[in-house]
Amino acid sequence: MAYCGDEKESSVTPEQVFWNRRNFIKQLSIGAVYAGATGSQGVWAQSAPDYSGHDLKDQLSSEFVVTHHNNFYEFSTDKQKPAKMAKSFQPGNDWQVEISGEVEKAGRFTLENILKWVEQEERIYRLRCVEAWSMVVPWTGFQLSQLIKHVQPTSKARYVEFKTLRDPKVFPGQKRGTFGMYSLPWPYTEGVTMQEALNPLAFIATGVYGKKLPGQNGAPLRLVLPWKYGFKSIKSIVSIKFTEKQPISTWNKRLPNEYGFYANVNPKVDHPRWSQATERRITNESFLGVKKIPTQMFNGYGNEVAHLYKGLDLTKYF
Ligand SMILES: Nc1nc2c(c(=O)[nH]1)N[C@H]1C(S)=C(S)[C@@H](COP(=O)(O)O)O[C@H]1N2
Ligand SMILES: [Mo]
């Protein structure tokens, strides 16, 4: 896609985060209670007085953009196609997630079960793709640490591995050879350290813009790790495994020189195919966005996560 958006860089103030922790959502039907700080396209988020030091001025990406410009290779490598192809992918609360490995309460649980363990809320996060575009998304869901505390990992658990559903009947992109050289080893797999998973920013989204998560955004539950490149935020999760060994993630397996395990947003470490110094912020249906926004270390969430990587050479552990 051409980079020919307008240059209005004043519309963005990075380095900030917005947590609307007051906006707790207790019902399963989140659509009905969506209100407050966010709104339709073009509305500016207000600062959260109960979360000191942050004052988000990032303009929300419109609901249309968030739900019609997607990376979901199980459907297509094209950004606009997942929205069309996912129309019949509408999983409900009977969706099952297997929790396994180094954990006391292993088992198969429905989304309905899981939602009884946690408190849902809304969070507005920046999403930064390694392809150098970004958005600002109002998610609904729950802090991942709530789920982890409920299932009680053992002392051996050092990592958490996530897997997406593998079913070529649901996801045509998983049919053999669909994308030729772009094909990925399915199921899509991701992983984080326990410390990363327990960090308060790590989130599981079940909704966006106050509505149930659409198929193209990873229904019915997906990871959201705002300080990492978007590919870590794995969609349509069916497996959560606690492990001693570092999981091998899909992109790392496919192209190890391009995609590391950590994948923290870092303007100083370029991807071989994309400079990471700046990004293109997409806000409206032109999909063009504002280009050359300076990319922030940890996508602007350094205050919350930098301590996790003390002493780690982030050019080596990219
Ligand atoms: N299972 C799965 N999860 C995935 C992907 C994917 O192709 N398959 N794409 C990733 C990438 S590269 C990005 S940038 C984000 C995009 O999320 P969005 O479509 O909700 O904006 O999802 C991530 N999660
Ligand atoms: Mo991405």
PDB file of all heavy atoms in Angstrom, residues 97 158 186 190 204 267 311 317:
ATOM      1  N   VAL A  97     -11.044 -23.783  25.467  1.00  0.00           N
ATOM      2  CA  VAL A  97      -9.622 -23.486  25.619  1.00  0.00           C
ATOM      3  C   VAL A  97      -9.017 -24.561  26.508  1.00  0.00           C
ATOM      4  O   VAL A  97      -9.529 -24.835  27.592  1.00  0.00           O
ATOM      5  CB  VAL A  97      -9.403 -22.100  26.260  1.00  0.00           C
ATOM      6  CG1 VAL A  97      -7.911 -21.811  26.420  1.00  0.00           C
ATOM      7  CG2 VAL A  97     -10.076 -21.014  25.437  1.00  0.00           C
ATOM      8  N   ARG A 158       7.875 -21.380  33.505  1.00  0.00           N
ATOM      9  CA  ARG A 158       8.698 -20.196  33.201  1.00  0.00           C
ATOM     10  C   ARG A 158       8.185 -19.443  31.981  1.00  0.00           C
ATOM     11  O   ARG A 158       8.545 -18.292  31.754  1.00  0.00           O
ATOM     12  CB  ARG A 158      10.151 -20.611  32.982  1.00  0.00           C
ATOM     13  CG  ARG A 158      10.807 -21.114  34.280  1.00  0.00           C
ATOM     14  CD  ARG A 158      12.281 -21.410  34.065  1.00  0.00           C
ATOM     15  NE  ARG A 158      12.986 -20.251  33.523  1.00  0.00           N
ATOM     16  CZ  ARG A 158      13.967 -20.345  32.621  1.00  0.00           C
ATOM     17  NH1 ARG A 158      14.346 -21.505  32.169  1.00  0.00           N
ATOM     18  NH2 ARG A 158      14.554 -19.245  32.179  1.00  0.00           N
ATOM     19  N   TRP A 186       1.263 -24.154  10.825  1.00  0.00           N
ATOM     20  CA  TRP A 186       0.068 -24.061  11.676  1.00  0.00           C
ATOM     21  C   TRP A 186       0.103 -25.136  12.753  1.00  0.00           C
ATOM     22  O   TRP A 186       0.698 -26.186  12.525  1.00  0.00           O
ATOM     23  CB  TRP A 186      -1.210 -24.231  10.832  1.00  0.00           C
ATOM     24  CG  TRP A 186      -1.255 -23.367   9.628  1.00  0.00           C
ATOM     25  CD1 TRP A 186      -1.225 -23.765   8.333  1.00  0.00           C
ATOM     26  CD2 TRP A 186      -1.366 -21.932   9.594  1.00  0.00           C
ATOM     27  NE1 TRP A 186      -1.288 -22.666   7.495  1.00  0.00           N
ATOM     28  CE2 TRP A 186      -1.378 -21.551   8.241  1.00  0.00           C
ATOM     29  CE3 TRP A 186      -1.457 -20.946  10.590  1.00  0.00           C
ATOM     30  CZ2 TRP A 186      -1.465 -20.208   7.846  1.00  0.00           C
ATOM     31  CZ3 TRP A 186      -1.548 -19.621  10.190  1.00  0.00           C
ATOM     32  CH2 TRP A 186      -1.551 -19.264   8.833  1.00  0.00           C
ATOM     33  N   GLU A 190       2.402 -18.754  19.777  1.00  0.00           N
ATOM     34  CA  GLU A 190       3.158 -17.638  20.349  1.00  0.00           C
ATOM     35  C   GLU A 190       3.526 -17.950  21.785  1.00  0.00           C
ATOM     36  O   GLU A 190       2.997 -18.899  22.361  1.00  0.00           O
ATOM     37  CB  GLU A 190       2.361 -16.319  20.275  1.00  0.00           C
ATOM     38  CG  GLU A 190       2.759 -15.439  19.108  1.00  0.00           C
ATOM     39  CD  GLU A 190       4.255 -15.171  19.039  1.00  0.00           C
ATOM     40  OE1 GLU A 190       4.946 -15.252  20.070  1.00  0.00           O
ATOM     41  OE2 GLU A 190       4.744 -14.894  17.933  1.00  0.00           O
ATOM     42  N   ILE A 204      -6.150 -10.041  27.646  1.00  0.00           N
ATOM     43  CA  ILE A 204      -6.885 -10.916  26.734  1.00  0.00           C
ATOM     44  C   ILE A 204      -8.121 -10.146  26.289  1.00  0.00           C
ATOM     45  O   ILE A 204      -8.943  -9.758  27.127  1.00  0.00           O
ATOM     46  CB  ILE A 204      -7.322 -12.233  27.409  1.00  0.00           C
ATOM     47  CG1 ILE A 204      -6.109 -13.069  27.836  1.00  0.00           C
ATOM     48  CG2 ILE A 204      -8.248 -13.024  26.479  1.00  0.00           C
ATOM     49  CD1 ILE A 204      -5.526 -13.961  26.761  1.00  0.00           C
ATOM     50  N   PRO A 267      12.571   1.142  18.124  1.00  0.00           N
ATOM     51  CA  PRO A 267      12.881   1.950  16.933  1.00  0.00           C
ATOM     52  C   PRO A 267      14.331   1.818  16.491  1.00  0.00           C
ATOM     53  O   PRO A 267      14.671   2.189  15.369  1.00  0.00           O
ATOM     54  CB  PRO A 267      12.578   3.381  17.390  1.00  0.00           C
ATOM     55  CG  PRO A 267      12.596   3.342  18.881  1.00  0.00           C
ATOM     56  CD  PRO A 267      12.191   1.957  19.290  1.00  0.00           C
ATOM     57  N   GLY A 311      19.360  -5.709  31.714  1.00  0.00           N
ATOM     58  CA  GLY A 311      20.515  -6.567  31.508  1.00  0.00           C
ATOM     59  C   GLY A 311      20.444  -7.427  30.258  1.00  0.00           C
ATOM     60  O   GLY A 311      21.371  -8.168  29.962  1.00  0.00           O
ATOM     61  N   TYR A 317      18.565 -10.065  21.672  1.00  0.00           N
ATOM     62  CA  TYR A 317      17.279 -10.673  22.020  1.00  0.00           C
ATOM     63  C   TYR A 317      16.162  -9.779  21.465  1.00  0.00           C
ATOM     64  O   TYR A 317      15.482  -9.108  22.206  1.00  0.00           O
ATOM     65  CB  TYR A 317      17.168 -10.879  23.525  1.00  0.00           C
ATOM     66  CG  TYR A 317      18.183 -11.862  24.041  1.00  0.00           C
ATOM     67  CD1 TYR A 317      19.419 -11.428  24.534  1.00  0.00           C
ATOM     68  CD2 TYR A 317      17.900 -13.223  24.022  1.00  0.00           C
ATOM     69  CE1 TYR A 317      20.364 -12.340  24.982  1.00  0.00           C
ATOM     70  CE2 TYR A 317      18.841 -14.138  24.474  1.00  0.00           C
ATOM     71  CZ  TYR A 317      20.068 -13.694  24.944  1.00  0.00           C
ATOM     72  OH  TYR A 317      20.995 -14.592  25.388  1.00  0.00           O
TER      73      TYR A 317
END
